[in-house]
Amino acid sequence: LMATASKVQCTKCAKNSAITACEGCSSKLCRRCFNDHRQDLSKELDNIVYEHDMLKEQLETPNENNSHRLLKQIDQWKKDSIDKVNQLADQCRTDVVKLLDKDKDERIDRFRKMTSRVRKGQDDEDYDERDLSKWMTALKELKDELIKPSNFCVEEDKEQPSWIQKIRVRENVPEQVKMKDDAASMSSVRSSHTATLLSSGKVLVAGGYIGGNYLSSSEVYDPPSNTWTPVASMSSVRYLHTATLLSSGKVLVTGGYVGGNYLSSSE
């Protein structure tokens, strides 16, 4: 606040002569309105101090392990995944038990039939060397079947897509940082190539054609740093091919054209 050189009417009450001016709002105020104005500013400052102290308390409060929504999201994914695994494990365990019981029932049935034949031969005294050999062979076969592994197994079903979706944590990049107005040039000139947006936000460029030369080289563009980085080349030169981002994060490159020949190879 600074003292005014000439007397003018108070901006607020429009009754008394102004004796001071507020540099903040440029109002010219009388003494009474000036005091009221300072009290209003003091209340606003008190409110700022209150908000400041509340924010300070929140910032200094230790993180609670299970309070954040993202942590709860991870816990829910974990529970759902475990439930799926348990359900499938229970089903497979039930299937194995059924097969084991089936095998056991078949062996018991064969054993009982053999027991009946042996006892009948013994009671009737109707047997010879051939019967004894046959009965002994049958006994050994049953005994061996009890020892040897079962004729079924547990294996991964590789034809089925993954039924537990993998999750990951990534940092959100502000939109204005993702792409600069003047993107850097590739390290190699090329045409008829592929450009694949990766899950990381980077872009993979592969193959192509330039000046009679077919290319196998690849490079990756990083938007935040606006830079291109050469990466491993493809195993084959190709252009007019396709490049598809898979759920695993890998990129499948298929087909293309080279020197008058169409390609069926993939990598």
Side-chain angles (χ1 to χ4, degrees), residues 2 7 15 24-25 30 38 55 65 80 85 87 105 169 184 191 195 207-208 213 226 245 255 257-258:
M2 62 180 183
K7 293 184 179 181
K15 295 179 180 179
C25 62
C30 65
R38 292 302 302 173
L55 179 58
N65 289 339
D80 294 342
V85 171
Q87 290 173 8
D105 291 342
V169 179
S191 68
N213 295 318
N226 193 29
L245 178 65
Y257 182 86
V258 171

Side-chain angles (χ1 to χ4, degrees), residues 1-2 4 8-12 18 20-30 34 37:
L1 299 173
M2 62 180 183
T4 55
V8 294
Q9 196 173 37
C10 176
T11 304
K12 186 174 182 180
T20 58
C22 176
E23 292 185 358
C25 62
S26 301
S27 298
K28 298 177 175 59
L29 305 169
C30 65
F34 170 74
H37 184 60

Side-chain angles (χ1 to χ4, degrees), residues 45-108:
L45 177 59
D46 289 341
N47 184 57
I48 291 174
V49 171
Y50 172 78
E51 293 294 337
H52 167 273
D53 292 343
M54 291 295 293
L55 179 58
K56 179 175 181 292
E57 182 179 353
Q58 291 178 351
L59 290 174
E60 293 179 349
T61 301
N63 289 331
E64 297 181 5
N65 289 339
N66 297 320
S67 62
H68 197 280
R69 63 177 182 82
L70 294 179
L71 296 176
K72 292 180 179 179
Q73 180 182 348
I74 294 173
D75 290 341
Q76 186 62 46
W77 171 85
K78 178 182 178 181
K79 179 181 179 301
D80 294 342
S81 300
I82 292 175
D83 288 344
K84 289 181 180 180
V85 171
N86 287 336
Q87 290 173 8
L88 183 58
D90 291 342
Q91 180 61 52
C92 290
R93 188 178 291 107
T94 300
D95 293 342
V96 167
V97 171
K98 287 181 179 179
L99 289 173
L100 290 173
D101 290 342
K102 179 183 176 182
D103 278 2
K104 185 175 181 180
D105 291 342
E106 290 177 352
R107 294 189 184 106
I108 290 175

Side-chain angles (χ1 to χ4, degrees), residues 169-259:
V169 179
R170 67 175 176 84
E171 185 176 3
N172 291 327
V173 180
E175 195 65 33
Q176 62 269 23
V177 179
K178 289 184 178 179
M179 181 66 74
K180 299 182 181 297
D181 293 335
D182 298 321
S185 298
M186 294 185 292
S187 56
S188 301
V189 292
R190 63 182 78 224
S191 68
S192 302
H193 52 279
T194 55
T196 307
L197 178 61
L198 306 179
S199 54
S200 63
K202 297 181 180 181
V203 178
L204 171 67
V205 169
Y209 176 88
I210 186 66
N213 295 318
Y214 302 99
L215 304 177
S216 63
S217 60
S218 302
E219 51 191 307
V220 168
Y221 177 66
D222 180 42
S225 63
N226 193 29
T227 56
W228 289 91
T229 303
V231 294
S233 298
M234 296 185 291
S235 59
S236 302
V237 294
R238 62 181 78 224
Y239 84 113
L240 295 176
H241 52 284
T242 64
T244 305
L245 178 65
L246 306 179
S247 59
S248 64
K250 296 182 179 181
V251 176
L252 173 66
V253 174
T254 59
Y257 182 86
V258 171

